[in-house]
Amino acid sequence: MIGSQQKFIRLTLLGAVASLLAACAQDRGPAPILSVAQTSCLAEPPLTAAKPLMLSAEETKPLEFLISGTSSCLETTEGVRSLFELVQLPQSVAPFSVRVAAVPSSTGLFAPQLTFLDSDGLPVRQISEEKFVFRGPKLTASALINGDERYLLIASNPEIVGDRSQRTSSVINQYQSGGPIYFTVRTGSEFTKSVTYSHGGNVTITARTVDRSLDAR
């Protein structure tokens, strides 16, 4: 009986090691975009190209898009370039907030820069870098929308593109024997994942209504 238990433990440990090696062998995804290669960039985003964002009081599927090397780009008068997408905010008399999340690939993470625009496309305010926090692997920022904000410009931040971020994660595996004597084997591993801030990447955005009735209590 003891021999069969030892065999089970060895197989369990080998299975955990194999799972970890398989995860490391997965496709590492596209390389981070460290420079904007387009030969012609815009001075300001075209409002007609804005993607509409839906408003919901419940948890709902977010608006998702990929900013890639073929996405439109902006260029400042100083020649600084960014890749971008433009979102049209919902029109609502009720207060609402938006949350933007940069979703990492195995090698890259979009370096977000968020600017709210009015109905004419003029900047109203910008979300500071300090507002971005990691929630799990995602880099997120939330904001309550003001009455004169109609669009959200999601552009890459050239100042941090190329910087690296390291996140440490833990994995716990638990196995139970199936023999006449039951016992549990737990295996754990900790790994550090490094990603590079990129001009491109996966982005999600949601808009949720906000209950302000409690503010008056």
Side-chain angles (χ1 to χ4, degrees):
M1 182 63 66
I2 294 177
S4 62
Q5 292 177 357
Q6 291 176 338
K7 182 178 180 181
F8 173 79
I9 293 174
R10 287 198 300 269
L11 291 175
T12 298
L13 293 176
L14 288 173
V17 172
S19 297
L20 184 60
L21 292 175
C24 294
Q26 290 178 353
D27 181 17
R28 289 182 55 80
I33 302 173
L34 303 182
S35 62
V36 179
Q38 282 89 328
T39 57
S40 178
C41 291
L42 305 171
E44 57 186 31
L47 302 184
T48 55
K51 291 179 168 62
L53 178 65
M54 304 302 293
L55 180 64
S56 174
E58 305 294 336
E59 193 69 34
T60 186
K61 182 177 175 62
L63 174 64
E64 302 177 274
F65 48 83
L66 171 66
I67 298 178
S68 69
T70 59
S71 297
S72 300
C73 66
L74 294 173
E75 184 172 2
T76 67
T77 54
E78 292 79 18
V80 180
R81 294 182 171 186
S82 300
L83 299 177
F84 77 94
E85 285 285 355
L86 186 66
V87 173
Q88 183 177 14
L89 299 174
Q91 293 191 20
S92 172
V93 295
F96 69 96
S97 64
V98 297
R99 172 177 288 184
V100 178
V103 183
S105 69
S106 55
T107 57
L109 176 65
F110 178 67
Q113 184 173 240
L114 306 180
T115 306
F116 290 99
L117 312 177
D118 63 15
S119 58
D120 295 321
L122 299 176
V124 175
R125 63 168 169 152
Q126 190 172 76
I127 302 301
S128 63
E129 291 183 34
E130 292 75 17
K131 296 293 185 180
F132 290 94
V133 295
F134 279 97
R135 300 181 184 275
K138 299 179 182 180
L139 183 61
T140 69
S142 300
L144 188 66
I145 302 305
N146 298 326
D148 56 346
E149 295 169 346
R150 293 291 180 266
Y151 299 92
L152 175 57
L153 175 63
I154 303 174
S156 58
N157 185 351
E159 293 185 1
I160 63 172
V161 167
D163 292 349
R164 299 180 69 83
S165 173
Q166 289 190 336
R167 308 287 295 173
T168 300
S169 302
S170 298
V171 176
I172 303 296
N173 298 304
Q174 178 172 304
Y175 303 89
Q176 291 185 331
S177 71
I181 300 177
Y182 290 92
F183 59 92
T184 300
V185 176
R186 292 184 177 88
T187 61
S189 60
E190 188 175 87
F191 60 93
T192 299
K193 181 178 180 180
S194 179
V195 294
T196 301
Y197 285 107
S198 169
H199 278 291
N202 293 294
V203 178
T204 66
I205 177 171
T206 54
R208 298 282 301 278
T209 55
V210 177
D211 185 3
R212 302 298 296 270
S213 61
L214 296 179
D215 295 348
R217 298 183 183 180

